[in-house]
Amino acid sequence: MSLIPPYGGRLINLLVSGEERRTLIDEAARLPSIQISARALCDLEVLATGGFSPLDRFMGRADYERVLHEMRLADGTLFPLPITLPVDGKTLARLGDRIALRDARNELIAVMNIEEAFAWDAGQEARLTLGTTDPRHPLVSEMSMWGDTYISGALQVVRLPRYYDFVELRRTPAEVRSILHEMGAERVIAFQTRNPLHRVHEELTKRAAAEVGGALLIHPVVGLTRPGDIDHYSRVRIYRALVERYYDPQRTLLSLLPLAMRMAGPREALWHAIIRRNFGATHFIVGRDHAGPGLDSRGKPFYGPYDAQELVARHTDEIGVAMVPFREYVYLPDANEYVEETAVPPGARVWTISGTQVRDEYLAKGKLLPEWFTRPETAAILAQSYPPRHRQGFCIWFTGLSGAGKSTIAEALVAMLLERGRQSTLLDGDVVRTHLSKGLGFSREDRDTNILRIGFVAGEIVRHGGVAICAAISPYRAARNECRKMVGDDRFFEVFVDTPIEICERRDTKGMYARARRGEITGFTGIDDPYEPPAAPEVHLTTVDTTPDECARRIVALLEERGFLTRSG
């Protein structure tokens, strides 16, 4: 028996070793360096080990342009998403130069020959690959922060990123293929997941593997997923426990994929299928709304529920990977079994629990999930990792013009939360400017840097169960959405303090608006620099006819409604 060949016929390997590696490390010490982002680092790791075969580098212009418009590389090979390395063009080395690529800790990862450098348009790329320019899409807001130039060229990879968690489960495509070959698996069905596994997923994967008569590759993403997803540490503990206890060890392989997801819906599903072929899969399970990022600014899904399945099915012959749809299963309590939704006997009792119910009716209230729905191991790990909602952290993000009343309402809210027994950290824009962002100016780039610093601190506070109250003008939607990602969508409450500019000017005791009107200061929000109001804030306040404490009480009421505060305190 032989495994399916990699996509394009050859598994790319960019890693160097031995004397070549030692020489390269010595050379890199004398080369100009750039620190690449966490996303680029994930891409480089998968690229180096062949997960993106036939790609052997970050895309050059010809591949990039054709992928955007036709989902094909320059040579015609189907490839749905761009794999690129953005840099700041102002600091770019010359074409023909060699540069060292380093991680956030400044450790050497690879050396690149710069053979191409070209400008790109974030709006065009988002529109063509994601189908939207809505800043609520997590990648749209992120792309606006990338460098303005893409670079490409031959890569020599010195080492892969260093991990200390689940080391035994982190396998390259070659290593996964070797294990599958030892299993004698000619057919392999891969399951992509970024969520915990429940009984319905267990039933689906086991039955799908039995139907195709092959091995099962459970291949969770542990790189960048959707903001707010359950952390990969908790997820992998669940996967490992279930695979060890409830799956056939002779026909099941759990391996981790350090992929940076784009949340690009249909195109991403096709990309996932191609990646899994490089790991040895012949079949791929595609879920409902596969790789969907949730709801847009109007409260509607970014993609249709079956768009991903339809796109992968259309290209099955070309990519050589068969699409297996994620079928809907329900539990029949009287028969103690799961069946397909279409096969429920007339009159049979049916039990189901939605994802929203899992979060809001069980985890948020500290209730264990029932055994018919999930294994006890999964329930215990989730209960340990996710305390009840009223013990979780959250962020209140005030945005609005200078003088709108953000700080005053924030101070009232701090006191009301203390009354309920919840301490908070107030990150006021002026105070942050004095301490955390001292030295920054008021260019768009510096303003974004200031806001992202606040977002980072808020995210850390919330991650550790604290309350962050942020009051800063934060005029640009993209930066605010990046902060939402850092905190987590379900714990971020954007509060738009919508006060007319003429009222703000009357309240201005410092005379900043007057100075801006006279041209003595420039780049002042609302005068000669734009303010981009939120499209769909969680709370919309007006301060003309309501007092600060009334505004604060509206926020408290919302927190009670969402379960972050108990009414009794």
Side-chain angles (χ1 to χ4, degrees):
M1 287 188 178
S2 60
L3 291 174
I4 186 173
Y7 192 54
R10 180 173 69 94
L11 195 63
I12 299 297
N13 180 8
L14 303 179
L15 288 161
V16 297
S17 59
E19 186 60 35
E20 181 184 8
R21 181 177 184 273
R22 288 189 287 272
T23 301
L24 202 60
I25 291 172
D26 290 340
E27 179 194 3
R30 301 185 297 274
L31 293 176
S33 299
I34 60 171
Q35 285 183 306
I36 62 177
S37 67
R39 178 175 297 282
L41 188 63
C42 287
D43 285 349
L44 182 54
E45 179 175 2
V46 182
L47 188 63
T49 56
F52 293 154
S53 297
L55 289 186
D56 65 356
R57 64 191 63 202
F58 291 103
M59 288 180 182
R61 185 192 293 273
D63 283 334
Y64 172 74
E65 290 291 345
R66 195 165 181 196
V67 165
L68 287 194
H69 295 277
E70 303 176 50
M71 297 200 307
R72 294 188 181 276
L73 301 176
D75 65 4
T77 302
L78 184 70
F79 205 95
L81 288 174
I83 309 298
T84 54
L85 181 59
V87 298
D88 182 353
K90 295 189 290 293
T91 61
L92 181 64
R94 296 166 300 179
L95 288 179
D97 280 356
R98 285 165 67 77
I99 58 171
L101 304 182
R102 300 182 180 273
D103 64 14
R105 293 181 175 83
N106 214 34
E107 293 208 35
L108 177 66
I109 302 296
V111 171
M112 172 193 273
N113 287 333
I114 303 180
E115 299 169 19
E116 288 187 72
F118 56 98
W120 67 289
D121 184 289
Q124 180 192 50
E125 182 173 324
R127 187 171 60 255
L128 294 175
T129 62
L130 306 175
T132 183
T133 56
D134 188 329
R136 269 294 176 94
H137 191 294
L139 194 63
V140 170
S141 61
E142 181 185 322
M143 286 166 66
S144 67
M145 307 291 175
W146 293 356
D148 59 3
T149 302
Y150 283 153
I151 58 175
S152 177
L155 290 162
Q156 295 168 285
V157 179
V158 172
R159 71 167 182 86
L160 299 177
R162 186 175 289 115
Y163 299 104
Y164 302 99
D165 61 308
F166 309 111
V167 176
E168 75 284 2
L169 298 178
R170 294 181 179 273
R171 303 184 181 95
T172 67
E175 291 167 341
V176 169
R177 294 175 73 89
S178 176
I179 295 172
L180 292 172
H181 178 73
E182 291 174 7
M183 286 182 176
E186 188 172 13
R187 292 185 168 197
V188 178
I189 185 164
F191 181 57
Q192 146 96 20
T193 178
R194 65 177 211 274
N195 293 307
L197 291 184
H198 297 299
R199 292 288 297 275
V200 67
H201 305 103
E202 186 182 327
E203 292 291 330
L204 169 77
T205 52
K206 288 178 177 177
R207 295 185 192 189
E211 285 176 15
V212 305
L216 172 64
L217 172 61
I218 298 179
H219 211 206
V221 171
V222 295
L224 304 181
T225 61
R226 190 175 76 175
D229 279 351
I230 290 177
D231 67 276
H232 81 265
Y233 302 101
S234 300
R235 290 189 288 113
V236 176
R237 289 169 60 206
I238 290 169
Y239 305 144
R240 187 168 58 184
L242 298 189
V243 168
E244 288 176 353
R245 299 174 192 182
Y246 302 106
Y247 284 84
D248 179 358
Q250 305 302 316
R251 305 297 292 170
T252 308
L253 175 61
L254 169 64
S255 190
L256 310 185
L257 178 64
L259 187 71
M261 292 184 66
R262 273 65 173 169
M263 308 311 300
R267 281 200 183 209
E268 179 141 355
L270 187 57
W271 185 50
H272 287 170
I274 289 170
I275 292 168
R276 275 22 183 257
R277 172 167 173 173
N278 288 323
F279 281 85
T282 55
H283 296 70
F284 181 58
I285 298 172
V286 180
R288 192 173 181 272
D289 192 26
H290 189 106
L295 304 180
D296 63 17
S297 294
R298 299 168 299 167
K300 297 181 179 179
F302 279 96
Y303 310 111
Y306 303 107
D307 291 354
Q309 294 179 355
E310 292 169 2
L311 184 65
V312 178
R314 284 203 302 271
H315 294 284
T316 284
D317 291 341
E318 187 169 3
I319 65 173
V321 179
M323 194 280 294
V324 178
F326 189 114
R327 299 183 182 94
E328 298 296 326
Y329 285 85
V330 295
Y331 179 69
L332 304 183
D334 298 323
N336 188 28
E337 67 175 355
Y338 276 87
V339 300
E340 284 189 48
E341 199 171 37
T342 56
V344 175
R349 289 196 303 158
V350 172
W351 288 357
T352 62
I353 297 179
S354 69
T356 300
Q357 287 176 302
V358 168
R359 291 189 303 271
D360 296 344
E361 295 183 18
Y362 287 89
L363 297 181
K365 296 179 180 179
K367 293 169 56 179
L368 276 180
L369 289 160
E371 284 197 40
W372 68 263
F373 175 76
T374 201
R375 296 289 187 182
E377 295 87 346
T378 301
I381 291 170
L382 289 176
Q384 180 186 52
S385 301
Y386 289 85
R389 181 74 51 78
H390 67 276
R391 294 180 184 169
Q392 295 177 14
F394 59 87
C395 171
I396 305 296
W397 190 281
F398 289 94
T399 178
L401 294 172
S402 176
K406 301 181 297 298
S407 297
T408 304
I409 300 170
E411 289 173 2
L413 180 61
V414 167
M416 292 179 187
L417 292 179
L418 283 169
E419 181 184 353
R420 303 298 186 93
R422 299 249 16 200
Q423 294 187 341
S424 59
T425 299
L426 177 59
L427 299 171
D428 183 82
D430 290 339
V431 176
V432 169
R433 276 273 178 186
T434 301
H435 299 285
L436 189 62
S437 295
K438 187 175 182 179
L440 288 180
F442 290 88
S443 65
R444 175 156 190 158
E445 182 179 6
D446 280 359
R447 291 182 187 200
D448 282 345
T449 298
N450 177 52
I451 295 306
L452 292 177
R453 287 179 181 177
I454 297 174
F456 172 78
V457 174
E460 289 299 293
I461 292 169
V462 171
R463 186 164 67 89
H464 292 287
V467 176
I469 299 177
C470 308
I473 295 171
S474 47
Y476 309 124
R477 291 192 193 101
R480 294 196 302 265
N481 278 297
E482 277 298 291
C483 294
R484 180 183 289 272
K485 287 169 55 179
M486 292 179 191
V487 171
D489 188 61
D490 61 334
R491 302 183 186 191
F492 186 93
F493 296 87
E494 189 174 38
V495 178
F496 177 29
V497 185
D498 187 7
T499 304
I501 191 168
E502 58 271 16
I503 302 296
C504 295
E505 291 191 63
R506 287 207 297 267
R507 294 175 177 172
D508 182 20
T509 57
K510 298 178 183 177
M512 301 298 288
Y513 278 100
R515 291 181 61 195
R517 294 284 188 193
R518 293 194 298 266
E520 295 174 7
I521 55 176
T522 58
F524 194 83
T525 302
I527 302 298
D528 58 346
D529 197 72
Y531 176 79
E532 299 172 356
E538 278 73 17
V539 182
H540 189 159
L541 300 176
T542 58
T543 62
V544 177
D545 51 1
T546 52
T547 64
D549 68 308
E550 288 172 331
C551 290
R553 291 188 190 285
R554 279 192 56 191
I555 299 168
V556 167
L558 178 62
L559 293 171
E560 287 180 346
E561 179 186 323
R562 298 288 178 89
F564 286 97
L565 290 179
T566 58
R567 285 180 170 79
S568 65

